[in-house]
Amino acid sequence: MNYINTMDDLFHMLDRYAEGVDWDAFYLKRDKPAPFLKYNKLPDKCVVDFIREHNIKNACEFGCGEGRNAIYLAQNDVDTEAYDLSEIAIENAKRNAAESKAEKAVFKAENLFALDFMDRKFDLVIDSGVFHHLTPHRRLQYREIVSGILAENGYFIL
Ligand SMILES: C[S@@+](CC[C@H](N)C(=O)[O-])C[C@H]1O[C@@H](n2cnc3c(N)ncnc32)[C@H](O)[C@@H]1O
């Protein structure tokens, strides 16, 4: 039996009702026509334009997939932490980063809702294609996580 004593218990219970994408299977099978899978080494144009115009020292990416944006940031001298739920995506991201000599990118397979950043802050937080996959009951919490880790005058790219 599951007891609901806290908001966290309630959120975990609601998570189980939500039929999400099986991201490990998605990255293993590679049979969906998703542009970010086909062009998994190309960063988003908005990220490229943004980095050209701003002086960013460190960044955090949520749902980084196979690392295309985080690797681009690292190649442009930005210390970058990148997280994804999928262990397969993170393995691929680490391999892509090693091939591109993007040492400033650190990849971890983690659920973003389980992360503890202590008091660390970032000049830039990136979400490329994650928010719309989050279930409604998690979205306010997501906003709090993002605003909690943004440095003063930091940027959020969604
Ligand atoms: C549409 S894909 C985009 C991948 C990548 N941002 C890109 O554009 O190449 C969404 C990604 O978000 C990840 N994701 C979804 N929910 C997550 C969560 N709660 N914590 C961490 N990653 C998550 C999935 O594993 C998936 O890789």
Side-chain angles (χ1 to χ4, degrees):
M1 183 183 292
N2 289 313
Y3 293 99
I4 311 288
N5 293 317
T6 64
M7 286 302 284
D8 220 33
D9 295 340
L10 175 62
F11 274 32
H12 281 110
M13 185 270 283
L14 290 172
D15 287 343
R16 291 199 298 273
Y17 280 104
E19 237 342 77
V21 177
D22 179 345
W23 287 107
D24 273 340
F26 174 90
Y27 286 107
L28 270 176
K29 287 192 195 149
R30 313 189 83 75
D31 59 353
K32 299 276 188 304
F36 64 89
L37 206 52
K38 184 168 176 195
Y39 302 106
N40 67 346
K41 305 233 166 91
L42 285 184
D44 286 313
K45 183 176 181 304
C46 63
V47 173
V48 174
D49 292 346
F50 180 85
I51 289 302
R52 208 171 275 146
E53 290 161 14
H54 296 81
N55 181 21
I56 300 296
K57 296 271 175 264
N58 69 348
C60 174
E61 182 172 14
F62 289 137
C64 62
E66 297 181 321
R68 60 199 183 91
N69 285 315
I71 290 171
Y72 180 79
L73 293 176
Q75 287 170 328
N76 282 275
D77 219 25
V78 180
D79 287 313
T80 305
E81 295 179 18
Y83 300 95
D84 201 286
L85 264 187
S86 163
E87 306 242 355
I88 305 293
I90 291 294
E91 269 172 34
N92 295 345
K94 285 181 180 167
R95 192 174 47 248
N96 292 338
E99 282 168 9
S100 318
K101 307 210 180 328
E103 291 93 2
K104 287 198 163 201
V106 175
F107 291 95
K108 288 198 182 127
E110 299 278 0
N111 186 334
L112 70 93
F113 292 107
L115 294 170
D116 184 356
F117 288 99
M118 315 296 260
D119 282 331
R120 288 184 311 119
K121 306 279 179 194
F122 299 88
D123 298 336
L124 173 67
V125 176
I126 297 189
D127 167 337
S128 179
V130 184
F131 182 77
H132 62 268
H133 286 289
L134 304 178
T135 44
H137 66 280
R138 288 282 180 186
R139 291 182 181 179
L140 280 176
Q141 187 187 8
Y142 184 72
R143 190 177 70 175
E144 274 170 28
I145 292 171
V146 172
S147 54
I149 61 170
L150 274 177
E152 210 178 329
N153 300 318
Y155 294 90
F156 177 42
I157 296 181
L158 176 67

